[in-house]
Amino acid sequence: MSALWDQDPDEFWTREGRARVDWFTPFHTLREWDPPYAKWYLGGRLNACYNCVDRHVEAGHGERVAYHWEGEPVGDRLALTYAELQRRVVRFTNTLKKLGVGRGTNVAIYLGMVPELPIAMLACARLGAPHTVVFGGFSADALASRIDDMGCQVLVTQDEAWRRGRTVPLKAVADKAMAAAPGVRRCVVVRRTDGPVSMTPGRDVWYHEASAHVDEDPANCPCEPLDAEALLFLMYTSGTTAKPKGIVHTTAGYLVGVATTHRYVFDLQPDTVYWCAADIGWITGHSYIVYGPLCNGVTSVLYEGTPDFPDRDRWWDIVERHGVTVLYTAPTAIRTHMKWGPEFAARHDLSSIRLLGSVGEPINPEAWSWYRTHIGAGRAPVVDTWWQTETGMIMISPLPGSGTLKPGSVGRPFVGVEAATLDSQGRPVANGQLVLDRPWPAMLRGIHGDPQRYVDTYWSKYPGHYLTGDGARIDEDGDFWLLGRLDDVMNVSGHRISTIEVESALVDDRSVAEAAVCARPDPRTGQAIVAYVTLKGGREGSPDAVDELRQHVADKIGKLAVPANIVFTPELPKTRSGKIMRRLLRDIASEGSLGDTTTLADPSVVEEIRARAAASV
Ligand code: 6R9
């Protein structure tokens, strides 16, 4: 495989651009780079849905399974072939058309891991209607702000989602969001649990009713030929301010980038059964459950539930039944299985597994070894893949069969990716800020509605270099080791959450005077959120106050952002110029040494907080 790395990047991406994707009009120019803006495959016209669905059917692969869908309730399953996927996508597309969706209509999708989720995304792509998928764990406020920011006119949701045998009322949350974001004209509701929902006449329609008499013939529902740079979707992600950023991904470069990396990193073979156990609501799911695997025409598993329902061997039962050959998941999930013990995996025959992947946060060597030993029978390579919502595709990763794998290292940059580590002066060093130096096909095209923020966030610290926000070390062999975020972004169970976003949610509670948030290491979730809170009027904290604040953060952002610890303190440690000393709070939370405290305005505050932190829940 090392031959892959030796290729000229432009030749490589030209060839992959032709090989991975079918074009309605071929591209004439590989790339235009007008820093910090890149365009790829200029002049080309294509459709992502056509490439993910129709062409496979036209090529005679209609009977191949696209998704083995596993519902959370045991036995609730569906083998969706490419032909059946095509019928369902056409049906969804025609239903959206009836509701006035066409090229350029923005659509928000708030669904759990049901087959209609990829189907709705593909229907949007077929029409040239950009989508934004909002993870089902986000709150009404978070959903509303995304709908508003993108200007979505249509929302697709479901009655309720299954979660560990209970139901989560997605439509009720969507109702609240639509009340706060009145731009939504139509809401399509997929029936899943048949639980109670309220429908607003004129706005809300049941999908099964609206689609009842809709044509399923692809011949009458052509895929729109779209410009290579047509907006495919926005994915909102946390930055270093309270407002999430709408990361812009366009059609051709994104599709070629994810299909190419998916093919090489996961060493696809004709018999590959691939399972990425992420949620489609995150970039990992977009790139490596939907667009990459479908573009490559592979068979994937799509699972609705959690790893421990009804028992802790659920994943391994799925692997065994479908003969999964490639499994791609996050370190936090691996550590959870590790905590439960290897006996659950041992109940099943996992001998089909050939390759294991990891993504989302640094994987500690213990988890890496456990994964390889207990899931990979001690022989499957583990590829640790580094990338971001912004990069769209895997950027740094070992390639299977290309040399020794080092537990904890993400290996080397992918073909055509130039990565470096810089010190604060911008000089290359062995251990520093990870930057990317050359445009790649799936790179973000900007932040929706905020070009200045795009420049400020990624391109101003080191002009000409894309700033990842991560720290990394490069060893003597040129292998990369990721060291975590260097900015105010936390990583909890592989989910990106900004400290400022959580602080704003806390301060929004009427009882809170001031709040500071940081992360501490956590053996299972990687990081856990610690909040230091000063209540108004000198009030002391109480267990009720803790519950209230946790609920408030869940309402403002979602349960994923709820602090693990809340430390009430009469004062926050500040510099003489009034800045909160976050580093100090991080040190306290991590029970590390406190370092330099000489700039503190009132040193006694620290001891007080330390004592309270030790006693916090
Ligand atoms: C794909 C995804 C991106 C941030 C990234 C980094 C962390 C992702 C990693 C990793 C170490 C890996 N990250 N993969 N850190 N090793 N293999 O996760 O996107 O949600 O945008 O998060 O996640 O800190 O900057 P996203």
Side-chain angles (χ1 to χ4, degrees):
M1 275 279 200
S2 69
L4 199 62
W5 271 309
D6 301 336
Q7 295 182 55
D8 173 77
D10 286 0
E11 279 172 23
F12 175 81
W13 286 116
T14 302
R15 214 186 48 237
E16 295 296 325
R18 295 189 181 124
R20 275 334 112 224
V21 159
D22 283 357
W23 300 86
F24 296 144
T25 309
F27 57 93
H28 54 66
T29 305
L30 175 67
R31 179 187 55 229
E32 203 177 84
W33 178 221
D34 181 11
Y37 295 99
K39 290 183 178 163
W40 284 79
Y41 302 111
L42 289 92
R45 296 183 85 75
L46 77 168
N47 186 286
C49 179
Y50 178 76
N51 277 284
C52 289
V53 183
D54 298 66
R55 65 167 176 153
H56 303 311
V57 180
E58 288 169 16
H61 304 309
E63 293 318 303
R64 187 187 292 163
V65 173
Y67 289 123
H68 287 292
W69 178 75
E70 287 275 336
E72 188 191 91
V74 175
D76 196 358
R77 51 179 90 107
L78 178 74
L80 206 58
T81 63
Y82 276 92
E84 180 61 19
L85 180 63
Q86 184 186 40
R87 279 192 288 277
R88 292 189 183 215
V89 168
V90 167
R91 178 184 278 263
F92 213 107
T93 307
N94 282 327
T95 308
L96 288 177
K97 265 193 204 165
K98 275 206 319 194
L99 299 173
V101 176
R103 200 187 279 211
T105 313
N106 292 340
V107 177
I109 303 176
Y110 186 61
L111 289 171
M113 292 284 282
V114 290
E116 286 81 2
L117 174 49
I119 289 169
M121 293 162 74
L122 293 162
C124 287
R126 194 176 191 89
L127 287 167
H131 58 71
T132 192
V133 178
V134 180
F135 172 61
F138 276 118
S139 68
D141 278 15
L143 174 59
S145 77
R146 285 156 175 78
I147 290 174
D148 231 16
D149 187 74
M150 191 178 181
C152 298
Q153 296 180 29
V154 172
L155 171 63
V156 181
T157 188
Q158 69 191 71
D159 47 6
E160 301 171 318
W162 285 115
R163 189 156 178 93
R164 292 199 174 88
R166 311 247 284 250
T167 56
V168 184
L170 293 192
K171 174 62 165 65
V173 175
D175 285 337
K176 264 199 190 161
M178 287 186 283
V184 177
R185 280 189 296 106
R186 305 305 303 253
C187 176
V188 181
V189 186
V190 173
R191 190 168 61 185
R192 174 68 185 119
T193 64
D194 219 3
V197 295
S198 84
M199 300 288 279
T200 300
R203 186 193 67 188
D204 303 347
V205 289
W206 283 107
Y207 178 63
H208 64 275
E209 287 176 5
S211 67
H213 303 291
V214 154
D215 188 8
E216 283 186 345
D217 184 353
N220 305 327
C221 182
C223 297
E224 289 281 315
L226 300 173
D227 188 85
E229 285 296 332
L231 175 61
L232 182 60
F233 66 85
L234 298 185
M235 170 54 70
Y236 284 85
T237 187
S238 291
T240 50
T241 70
K243 191 176 172 339
K245 306 174 278 198
I247 302 299
V248 175
H249 283 294
T250 58
T251 306
Y254 174 78
L255 197 59
V256 175
V258 299
T260 303
T261 46
H262 182 249
R263 177 182 148 94
Y264 291 111
V265 172
F266 298 113
D267 188 25
L268 299 187
Q269 305 293 334
D271 64 348
T272 293
V273 178
Y274 164 87
W275 183 14
C276 169
D279 192 288
I280 293 176
W282 307 105
I283 193 68
T284 302
H286 277 54
S287 300
Y288 297 108
I289 299 178
V290 182
Y291 289 111
L294 293 180
C295 190
N296 286 327
V298 308
T299 296
S300 302
V301 168
L302 185 64
Y303 174 48
E304 183 185 34
T306 57
D308 56 351
F309 190 86
D311 201 354
R312 293 169 171 178
D313 69 341
R314 184 72 194 268
W315 274 23
W316 318 122
D317 173 55
I318 293 173
V319 167
E320 179 175 20
R321 237 169 339 95
H322 296 295
V324 169
T325 62
V326 180
L327 178 66
Y328 190 31
T329 186
T332 184
I334 300 164
R335 288 192 298 264
T336 300
H337 288 292
M338 232 172 121
K339 197 183 79 186
W340 293 338
E343 56 272 24
F344 297 99
R347 282 186 203 163
H348 297 272
D349 176 5
L350 307 183
S351 60
S352 55
I353 287 188
R354 269 192 302 102
L355 185 68
L356 297 168
S358 175
V359 61
E361 45 174 327
I363 181 165
N364 44 315
E366 298 73 31
W368 194 101
S369 302
W370 190 93
Y371 195 26
R372 181 175 185 144
T373 307
H374 296 288
I375 310 305
R379 56 180 158 72
V382 176
V383 292
D384 182 10
T385 64
W386 178 88
W387 58 294
Q388 308 179 299
T389 302
E390 293 88 341
T391 69
M393 64 184 219
I394 292 170
M395 299 296 280
I396 310 181
S397 163
L399 293 179
S402 64
T404 354
L405 295 166
K406 302 174 186 171
S409 165
V410 292
R412 288 163 57 181
F414 194 74
V415 189
V417 172
E418 252 170 49
T421 46
L422 305 180
D423 70 9
S424 58
Q425 308 299 308
R427 288 176 301 230
V429 280
N431 183 336
Q433 293 263 4
L434 179 65
V435 298
L436 302 169
D437 285 347
R438 168 197 253 281
W440 60 97
M443 77 185 270
L444 75 166
R445 301 301 196 255
I447 295 176
H448 177 70
D450 204 345
Q452 194 55 46
R453 191 171 175 196
Y454 172 62
V455 174
D456 293 347
T457 309
Y458 303 107
W459 302 96
S460 61
K461 180 161 175 133
Y462 303 111
H465 305 270
Y466 167 88
L467 182 73
T468 65
D470 281 350
R473 180 169 71 79
I474 309 177
D475 70 16
E476 346 39 275
D477 304 324
D479 286 317
F480 285 65
W481 301 74
L482 266 293
L483 305 169
R485 300 287 305 196
L486 297 175
D487 55 12
D488 290 322
V489 175
M490 302 175 287
N491 190 328
V492 180
S493 297
H495 300 153
R496 264 167 83 165
I497 302 160
S498 126
T499 55
I500 317 286
E501 217 177 328
V502 181
E503 283 171 13
S504 313
L506 286 166
V507 174
D508 182 78
D509 188 279
R510 57 196 152 66
S511 67
V512 174
E514 212 173 17
V517 164
C518 66
R520 63 164 167 80
D522 181 273
R524 196 175 55 81
T525 56
Q527 291 190 324
I529 303 176
V530 181
Y532 299 88
V533 174
T534 307
L535 294 175
K536 281 184 187 153
R539 266 179 48 204
E540 280 287 328
S542 64
D544 282 350
V546 170
D547 291 346
E548 178 187 321
L549 292 181
R550 285 196 170 130
Q551 188 55 46
H552 195 71
V553 174
D555 290 344
K556 288 305 259 185
I557 307 174
K559 285 212 180 86
L560 71 170
V562 169
N565 307 84
I566 296 183
V567 182
F568 292 104
T569 163
E571 247 176 299
L572 292 169
K574 292 193 182 146
T575 62
R576 288 181 202 111
S577 63
K579 280 212 182 73
I580 297 173
M581 291 188 71
R582 292 170 199 285
R583 176 188 53 77
L584 204 67
L585 292 172
R586 264 200 303 271
D587 291 344
I588 296 172
S590 319
E591 293 167 351
S593 71
L594 288 188
D596 184 11
T597 54
T598 49
T599 52
L600 262 180
D602 176 5
S604 70
V605 171
V606 174
E607 279 322 308
E608 172 82 27
I609 296 180
R610 232 215 236 272
R612 286 166 180 257
S616 77
V617 279

